[in-house]
């Protein structure tokens, strides 16, 4: 039978999770993320719609695969990649992490994959890095009290990055529907030299957890809002990572609502802000309503993007005492930005495995 | 710093191209493809929109990455995967294959990737397999004269599969804008025991190439039509793989127009059939016009899908003597169907590499 043309003998580099962790330890995730957000605001990125495959597992759990490509033009060239990140809600019951996947980095000229790496670790770290950037740019005061709702992988990623960002941090409060998860995380924080000096408390309710906090991070799997505006301390920053935790009244009460990308948020019809946009109870950053929605004169508003704040196009400040809501949908370009640094570090130090094409 | 939870110690299986070729040699690609097409018609698949990242390479060529997830319910369970297939138009000038990528297969319960393999080979073979299925089901007579327009990787994939499908094949005609590519392919066919007994001719024009052929396969990179209806033999089957080779008059003249998925074809605005649908010069399989198009009373029509023909919902026959046009947009579920077989074979024979997560 006829042969098909092959490929050059160059290998692919493959990085298992352990090597991704090692490489990312050498990267300033918060700074790389801030730079990528800024480049996005300045139009130096390509952020296509993601591919979304949902299914029911044989055991009856919801599972999904996301395929998220992205590109960023940098000073030295073009960073290109595609993140695949899958999740099954049945995994935690099996003692498995909910998500896993692979991030591929591409050669800008041949388009061939050149480096493949485990993607869930990068994905968690870049999500936490966006919260860290928000804490730096959307607050005037450093964070003294951090509240974390949900105590899974994303909580740990946040608690890995955030203590280094605020030198005034004194208190961490934790809440999870499964108290044992919160206790396990509290124990880990008390045992960790980076956080051993802090007060760490497990709370009995979400309300007790957010009470008095300067920064509230939601990293749950809820699809229904439960956080009311009067629960928060005046001027608190809410990093609404899991996207469905706050009630619509919180969005309406906030003095500043910031997203990562208005297109991503408004095109989505499953999460709170997308639903509000469809219902006419949320206005776009330009003040307009969705053309086919019935305008609600009391509608809340999205004010700006985090990238525009970083690019100094928006002050990123609310009136003193008013809530600030950051609602990051999640962008592949941040994974690509970090993946490019990881790939470069791996190349330089010959980390990982060389695998044939 | 706080650690994040890890994963079970189970490895990923990685299959480089060589092992994918070895495994696929043991799979009946045409039958697996026919079965997947049938399952698609019967509603046993999930075929999400693909993610599409286009860019210009530093050398000024067009490049793109496609992320294509898909799922098929089979007798034994659920086959799930995501194909990443990238291409740069600058590659052939460098002596490189235009496309490369990776196909990932997922565990239906945990959603974790379990097998990763080179995807361009599978991608080319499944494309050729669709043509083989079309030749079997959309023609009454076996193919005696096969014409191939474009002599790259996809041409080779077709000439790897098609000779086995028709025992009446006598003549192969080839055409390429770069005659040396056609000559090289002709030499390979003459040297291959499977095709050494056939008459193989390189032609000077596309018109001479298709003249008298029963089956015409277009595997070019053109974005502009050039094939006129009067060039074809009466009753010829045109496998319009590259999607932009025939003129609109060919679609109008065809007695049977078959697609793989009407949603994929009609949502696309770059290729011929999608453009005709937008312009009101093509009707859907149900006979209707696009709602916002100005209906053209002389409009051509898409009659059915290949899956519906395979599921015996449509006879798949044109009036004798009239052209038949098969216009397969390309579906990830076919890659997933073949990938599942490759992964199973690799598992059974312990092919490829075990790489840590």
């Amino acid at each position: 039978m006829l042969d098909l043309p092959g490929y050059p003998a160059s290998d692919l580099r493959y990085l298992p999770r352990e090597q991704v962790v090692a490489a990312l330890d050498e990267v300033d995730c918060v700074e790389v993320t801030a730079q990528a957000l800024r480049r996005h605001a300045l139009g130096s990125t390509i952020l296509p719609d993601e591919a979304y495959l949902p299914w029911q597992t044989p055991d009856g759990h919801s599972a999904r695969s996301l395929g998220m490509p992205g590109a960023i033009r940098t000073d030295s060239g073009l960073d290109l990649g595609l993140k695949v990140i899958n999740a099954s809600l049945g995994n935690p019951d099996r003692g498995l992490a909910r998500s896993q996947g692979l991030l591929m980095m591409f050669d800008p000229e041949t388009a061939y994959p050149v480096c493949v790496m485990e993607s869930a670790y990068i994905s968690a770290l870049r999500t936490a890095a966006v919260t860290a950037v928000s804490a730096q740019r959307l607050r005037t005061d450093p964070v003294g009290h951090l509240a974390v709702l949900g105590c899974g992988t994303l909580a740990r990623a946040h608690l890995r990055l955030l203590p280094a960002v605020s030198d005034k941090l004194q208190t961490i409060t934790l809440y999870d529907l499964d108290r044992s998860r919160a206790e396990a995380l509290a124990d880990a924080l008390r045992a960790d030299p980076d956080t051993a000096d802090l007060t760490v408390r497990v709370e009995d309710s979400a309300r007790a957890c957010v009470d008095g906090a300067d920064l509230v991070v939601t990293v749950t799997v809820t699809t229904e809002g439960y956080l009311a505006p009067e629960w928060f301390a005046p001027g608190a920053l809410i990093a609404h990572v899991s996207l469905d935790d706050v009630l619509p009244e919180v969005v309406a009460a906030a003095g500043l609502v910031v997203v990562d990308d208005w297109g991503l948020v408004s095109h989505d019809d499953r999460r709170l802000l997308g639903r509000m946009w469809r219902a006419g109870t949320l206005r776009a950053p330009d003040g307009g309503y969705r053309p086919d929605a019935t305008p609600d004169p009391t509608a809340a508003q999205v004010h700006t993007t985090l990238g525009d704040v970083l690019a100094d196009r928006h002050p990123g400040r609310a009136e003193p005492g008013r809530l600030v809501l950051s609602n990051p949908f999640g962008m592949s370009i941040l994974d690509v930005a970090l993946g490019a640094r990881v790939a470069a570090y791996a190349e330089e130090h010959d980390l990982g495995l060389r695998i044939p094409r």
Side-chain angles (χ1 to χ4, degrees), chain A:
Chain A
M1 273 195 292
L2 206 66
D3 282 336
L4 269 62
Y7 294 98
S10 72
D11 287 343
L12 273 178
R13 186 180 296 277
Y14 173 73
L15 303 172
R17 184 185 182 87
E18 193 186 338
Q19 307 290 349
V20 176
V21 173
L24 265 189
D25 276 349
E26 304 301 321
V27 172
D28 185 343
C29 291
V30 178
E31 178 48 33
V32 171
T33 300
Q35 210 167 64
L37 288 164
R38 201 180 296 117
R39 288 198 164 113
H40 184 57
L42 298 174
S44 300
T45 59
I46 312 175
L47 182 63
D49 288 342
E50 65 193 27
Y52 172 71
L53 171 67
W55 75 92
Q56 287 293 307
T57 74
D59 281 2
H61 294 286
S62 292
R64 56 107 177 117
S65 174
L66 296 178
M68 304 168 66
I72 310 185
R73 190 163 300 285
T74 68
D75 298 335
S76 56
L78 194 58
D79 292 337
L80 290 153
L82 186 146
K83 175 172 76 160
V84 176
I85 184 84
N86 297 356
S88 168
L89 291 184
N91 285 345
D93 287 349
R94 283 187 199 87
L96 296 177
R98 195 161 61 94
S99 303
Q100 197 180 55
L102 294 169
L103 170 63
M104 286 161 238
M105 302 302 298
F106 305 139
D107 181 280
E109 195 59 57
T110 65
Y112 288 3
V114 286
C115 188
V116 181
M117 61 191 87
E118 200 279 324
S119 66
Y121 185 78
I122 285 188
S123 204
L125 266 277
R126 67 93 156 129
T127 303
V130 172
T131 299
V133 173
S134 310
Q136 288 173 332
R137 291 302 301 257
L138 304 180
R139 285 189 58 82
T140 32
D141 306 325
V143 172
H145 175 177
L146 164 65
V148 179
L149 296 164
C151 293
T153 298
L154 279 175
R156 286 177 181 252
H158 276 79
L159 291 165
R160 193 172 166 95
L161 283 190
L162 290 178
V165 172
S166 170
D167 52 7
K168 296 277 191 272
L169 188 63
Q170 291 187 316
T171 306
I172 298 174
T173 50
L174 305 173
Y175 176 70
D176 196 292
L177 288 176
D178 175 355
R179 190 181 170 102
S180 68
R181 277 155 62 94
E183 295 285 5
L185 180 51
D187 289 345
L189 288 167
R190 289 176 193 124
D192 191 292
D194 289 353
T195 46
D197 294 343
L198 305 178
T199 302
V200 177
R201 284 198 313 268
V202 173
E203 301 287 1
D204 285 328
S205 69
R207 183 166 191 168
C209 184
V210 308
D211 188 48
D214 309 312
L215 170 60
V216 175
V217 179
T218 74
V219 276
T220 69
V221 293
T222 192
T223 54
E224 229 169 291
Y226 58 94
L227 292 170
E230 61 273 19
W231 294 7
F232 296 97
L237 167 63
I238 307 160
H240 193 217
V241 175
S242 31
L243 302 171
D244 268 328
D245 299 71
V246 305
L247 292 166
E249 293 76 23
V250 173
V251 188
L256 177 68
V257 178
V258 180
V259 297
D260 51 353
D261 183 278
W262 172 242
L264 285 178
V265 170
S266 62
H267 289 149
D268 171 71
D269 56 5
R270 294 180 294 148
R271 304 314 199 129
L272 177 65
L273 263 56
R275 294 196 309 268
M276 291 176 69
W277 170 242
R278 270 161 189 69
T281 57
L282 186 71
R283 286 176 294 142
D286 67 4
Y289 293 90
R290 186 176 146 114
D292 58 354
T294 312
D296 177 338
T298 66
Q301 184 176 354
V302 169
H303 298 93
T304 188
T305 69
L306 192 50
D308 277 331
V309 174
L310 289 160
D312 294 321
R313 291 167 163 187
H314 188 285
R317 297 277 176 260
E319 286 168 51
R322 291 193 67 186
L323 295 178
V324 177
L325 181 73
S326 173
N327 194 84
F329 198 81
M331 302 195 291
S332 61
I333 51 164
L334 304 183
D335 302 278
V336 168
L338 286 172
R341 297 300 186 97
V342 168
Y345 184 87
E347 188 69 28
E348 201 181 324
H349 296 83
D350 200 19
L351 290 189
L353 306 169
R354 308 299 300 251
I355 55 179
R357 285 176 187 277

